[in-house]
Amino acid sequence: MTYEINETHDPELQSWVESANDPNTDLPIQNLPFCRALDTKSSGDIFVGVAIGDKVLELSDDVCAALGTSYPFGETSQAVITGVSPQRLSELRRAVSRGLASDAADDVRETLSFDLHALDDCEILPAFRIGDYTDFYCSIFHATNVGSMFRPDNPLMPNYKYIPIGYHGRASSIVLSGEDIKRPHGQNRSDAEKPPIFVPSRNLDYEMELGFFVGQGNELGSPIPIERAEEHIFGVCLVNDWSARDMQGWEYQPLGPFLAKNFATSISPFVVTMEALAPFRTKAFERAEEDPRPLEYLSSERDRRFGGLDINLEVYIETERMRKENAAPFRLSRSNTKDLYWTIGQMLTHHASNGCNLQTGDLLATGTVSGREKDERGCLLELTWRGKEPIEMPTGEERRFLEDGDEIIMKGFCEREGFRRIGLGECRGRIIPAE
Ligand code: MN
């Protein structure tokens, strides 16, 4: 099943939750992303909910009954998203959309109002229990830029156009937007004449990525065909793959990233469903004439035509000084997921192609999303060309890599003529000093 554009995407649709009708909100009634939350002002438990405007609708038993549906994720008391079919998820979306629409019946509205929490009062928790995390390397612009710093004559490895390159990350250190990031210690061998030293990272960086969650998994030994890949994807979020470049450069050969990456990974709070993204699908990356075609198991007509995602991504920095001077955060880059060389369907299918079992809540991320242009580079390593070309900011400050007190703010949003703009919200994290 693939999600079609339907009445839930109607740009005219308005909600009785007034804040959802603000043209600048990331969370209009056309979005309806999932989250897990705890209302710190009430005595309730952790719940699964749907965010709208400045509120989150708790999917309580009462709310589900009023919507004429049932809670799809096992028991409401468990408050964790489980693997459900795209059909079930789609039914729920229609029901929630009807219940939150301005023309909803008074009694429905009354029941829903009772379980509507102010986002400001809620502590937001990761939407899934994330068992495993895999990070890819799917921007050919990022891979070419980074490759050319280290191998100017041969930036792309021979496998790049055949394999969605990835590595297994670590799930335990995934944190939610807003949590501080402590500068990690690690081995640094900047002086090749001397042995490495163990110091706080000197080249701390961020990576702007799109993440996607596995909804329904697959059995061990049963690959997922490309035609069915998206049935296994629940939705997307923003990911900041914090990276200690000095540690990475010394440790990465021959087995790839390790401690340079797993000290922290930040994710945005809401999971925007694949159905909400239906109006923002686009063709897969158009390969150059001389590039190889993807192998059969990574090819489908539908994936070629609609496998891409048109999601705008932006990265801002707010330094200590900007906060002191009340200066606006400075935009470091903007890029778009439509420039990724591989689609999320290809990443997922490739991941399971050897029979590897993906499980509900697994997080897969695209790798740094960079574009063709200089201002579309999704990390400082690329933007400052390994620190050689520092960034100058309106406060007069310069950055090669991140300093203590710097906050990185990532944003994502979708816009298309004839549709309501929807947003992925923000992914924030501030660097605090090493211990
Ligand atoms: Mn990464």
Side-chain angles (χ1 to χ4, degrees):
M1 150 163 183
T2 32
Y3 296 111
E4 306 293 337
I5 293 168
N6 57 37
E7 72 272 16
T8 65
H9 303 97
D10 179 352
E12 303 300 322
L13 208 56
Q14 299 254 319
S15 173
W16 52 264
V17 178
E18 275 306 320
S19 54
N21 305 324
D22 177 343
N24 295 317
T25 182
D26 276 348
L27 306 170
I29 191 170
Q30 290 82 359
N31 194 347
L32 304 177
F34 285 88
C35 65
R36 254 170 91 223
L38 176 66
D39 189 332
T40 53
K41 290 224 167 131
S42 78
S43 52
D45 297 318
I46 294 170
F47 60 87
V48 171
V50 170
I52 176 150
D54 58 4
K55 303 278 193 294
V56 51
L57 176 66
E58 176 178 346
L59 291 176
S60 64
D61 291 324
D62 288 350
V63 164
C64 292
L67 295 175
T69 183
S70 60
Y71 185 71
F73 310 123
E75 303 267 323
T76 39
S77 60
Q78 306 247 287
V80 64
I81 299 178
T82 57
V84 293
S85 70
Q87 288 83 355
R88 186 72 186 82
L89 213 49
S90 192
E91 276 168 32
L92 182 67
R93 177 178 164 87
R94 278 175 208 251
V96 172
S97 174
R98 275 197 301 269
L100 288 170
S102 347
D103 60 359
D106 286 347
D107 57 329
V108 171
R109 197 169 148 164
E110 199 181 321
T111 308
L112 269 53
S113 299
F114 193 72
D115 278 323
L116 203 59
H117 305 258
L119 272 170
D120 277 347
D121 294 342
C122 289
E123 181 189 345
I124 307 289
L125 307 159
F128 288 90
R129 297 231 171 89
I130 305 171
D132 276 299
Y133 161 47
T134 301
D135 195 20
F136 286 88
Y137 192 56
C138 286
S139 162
I140 196 167
F141 304 107
H142 172 71
T144 306
N145 281 337
V146 173
S148 62
M149 289 173 207
F150 300 93
R151 299 175 303 275
D153 305 325
N154 179 28
L156 276 191
M157 290 296 190
N159 55 11
Y160 192 84
K161 293 175 179 176
Y162 292 96
I163 299 177
I165 301 292
Y167 67 94
H168 283 127
R170 186 157 182 93
S172 68
S173 50
I174 293 174
V175 300
L176 208 73
S177 171
E179 264 193 56
D180 289 340
I181 306 299
K182 191 188 289 173
R183 182 180 297 274
H185 273 77
Q187 287 200 19
N188 174 308
R189 201 191 187 181
S190 45
D191 187 345
E193 304 297 311
K194 293 182 188 156
I197 48 176
F198 187 73
V199 290
S201 171
R202 294 169 180 174
N203 295 352
L204 195 52
D205 199 358
Y206 61 84
E207 292 188 337
M208 171 80 252
E209 307 195 7
L210 184 78
F212 53 104
F213 287 100
V214 173
Q216 288 180 298
N218 60 304
E219 294 291 318
L220 182 63
S222 302
I224 298 170
I226 184 77
E227 292 79 11
R228 312 206 64 167
E230 290 206 7
E231 295 174 27
H232 295 265
I233 302 176
F234 189 99
V236 306
C237 68
L238 301 171
V239 171
N240 183 346
D241 177 23
W242 302 98
S243 300
R245 301 301 184 190
D246 41 351
M247 290 156 64
Q248 190 180 355
W250 169 235
E251 76 173 7
Y252 88 106
Q253 284 172 321
L255 287 183
F258 184 36
L259 303 184
K261 298 271 192 181
N262 72 5
F263 57 94
T265 305
S266 300
I267 57 171
S268 59
F270 308 121
V271 183
V272 175
T273 63
M274 295 311 293
E275 186 164 18
L277 293 168
F280 311 103
R281 302 312 300 265
T282 183
K283 60 183 189 305
F285 188 85
E286 249 178 287
R287 294 184 167 216
E289 204 54 50
E290 64 273 21
D291 281 6
R293 301 301 101 183
L295 297 184
E296 183 88 20
Y297 78 100
L298 293 175
S299 298
S300 88
E301 177 63 15
R302 197 171 168 93
D303 190 63
R304 253 190 311 282
R305 290 176 61 196
F306 305 106
L309 283 164
D310 185 355
I311 303 176
N312 298 290
L313 303 172
E314 294 182 335
V315 184
Y316 294 80
I317 186 170
E318 188 184 66
T319 66
E320 198 82 67
R321 181 149 155 205
M322 289 174 189
R323 275 191 296 277
K324 249 184 226 145
E325 294 178 3
N326 260 324
F330 175 70
R331 192 173 68 205
L332 292 165
S333 71
R334 60 203 307 187
S335 56
N336 191 297
T337 49
K338 68 182 181 215
D339 290 326
L340 290 168
Y341 196 78
W342 298 97
T343 65
I344 58 172
Q346 287 172 319
M347 290 177 225
L348 182 122
T349 289
H350 181 67
H351 201 317
S353 63
N354 63 348
C356 172
N357 51 329
L358 303 177
Q359 295 180 298
T360 301
D362 282 359
L363 177 66
L364 279 59
T366 57
T368 308
V369 183
S370 295
R372 290 167 189 80
E373 307 301 327
K374 243 183 147 169
D375 65 350
E376 294 178 315
R377 295 173 177 171
C379 62
L380 286 174
L381 177 70
E382 283 175 86
L383 279 170
T384 70
W385 214 256
R386 284 176 94 177
K388 282 195 205 111
E389 302 167 22
I391 287 180
E392 286 165 28
M393 299 182 286
T395 45
E397 297 173 283
E398 273 192 353
R399 281 294 179 278
R400 291 176 167 79
F401 290 100
L402 296 172
E403 295 189 5
D404 292 344
D406 286 353
E407 179 153 7
I408 290 296
I409 306 153
M410 299 179 162
K411 300 182 188 200
F413 58 94
C414 303
E415 281 175 339
R416 184 180 152 200
E417 185 76 38
F419 290 92
R420 183 70 152 90
R421 173 197 184 278
I422 63 168
L424 277 67
E426 289 186 346
C427 182
R428 291 174 169 261
R430 190 182 298 184
I431 306 300
I432 58 170
E435 238 158 51

